[in-house]
Amino acid sequence: MLFQRAHDADPSQHAAAFRLGQAFVAEAHALQKEGSEDATAMWRQAALQCEVAFALDPHHAVTAMHIASCYAWAQDAEAKQAWAQIAQHLQEEHAAYMAADEAAR
């Protein structure tokens, strides 16, 4: 898998880790569409990989939202809620930063 090799080449890169998580999301979607019993496990794998990406950039709200979505599809309501709250906090933090930056101009 190309994304796996990119992540392995530089495991400190958020983008590579996140793209690998997105590849797992695509696979989970495909398994879900097929009605495969393996879909839930792949959703969890996607969430875990996105968590790796988030650890590399803990201010990336999009990554947190992806994790929340993965856990929602994996039917883990508690984890989904926790990550959704993190994402919301980061989005609010970003909006406040942007407003302060705009006010300073």
Side-chain angles (χ1 to χ4, degrees):
M1 170 181 269
L2 185 60
F3 292 115
Q4 181 70 52
R5 290 197 332 232
H7 177 59
D8 290 346
D10 192 351
S12 67
Q13 287 292 319
H14 171 265
F18 186 60
R19 283 191 173 61
L20 180 55
Q22 288 176 314
F24 289 146
V25 166
E27 182 66 21
H29 272 293
L31 290 170
Q32 191 84 30
K33 286 175 81 173
E34 293 172 0
S36 173
E37 293 180 14
D38 295 329
T40 300
M42 184 55 69
W43 283 115
R44 289 186 188 285
Q45 182 65 32
L48 292 173
Q49 181 57 45
C50 288
E51 286 184 24
V52 168
F54 187 81
L56 295 170
D57 185 357
H59 298 286
H60 199 253
V62 172
T63 303
M65 283 305 300
H66 273 276
I67 298 166
S69 294
C70 290
Y71 280 124
W73 281 102
Q75 300 175 3
D76 186 336
E78 188 175 322
K80 178 244 175 206
Q81 181 64 28
W83 281 101
Q85 288 175 352
I86 291 168
Q88 182 178 358
H89 170 74
L90 291 172
Q91 288 170 334
E92 291 168 357
E93 185 179 85
H94 179 72
Y97 173 79
M98 295 301 289
D101 186 50
E102 186 65 29
R105 291 180 189 190

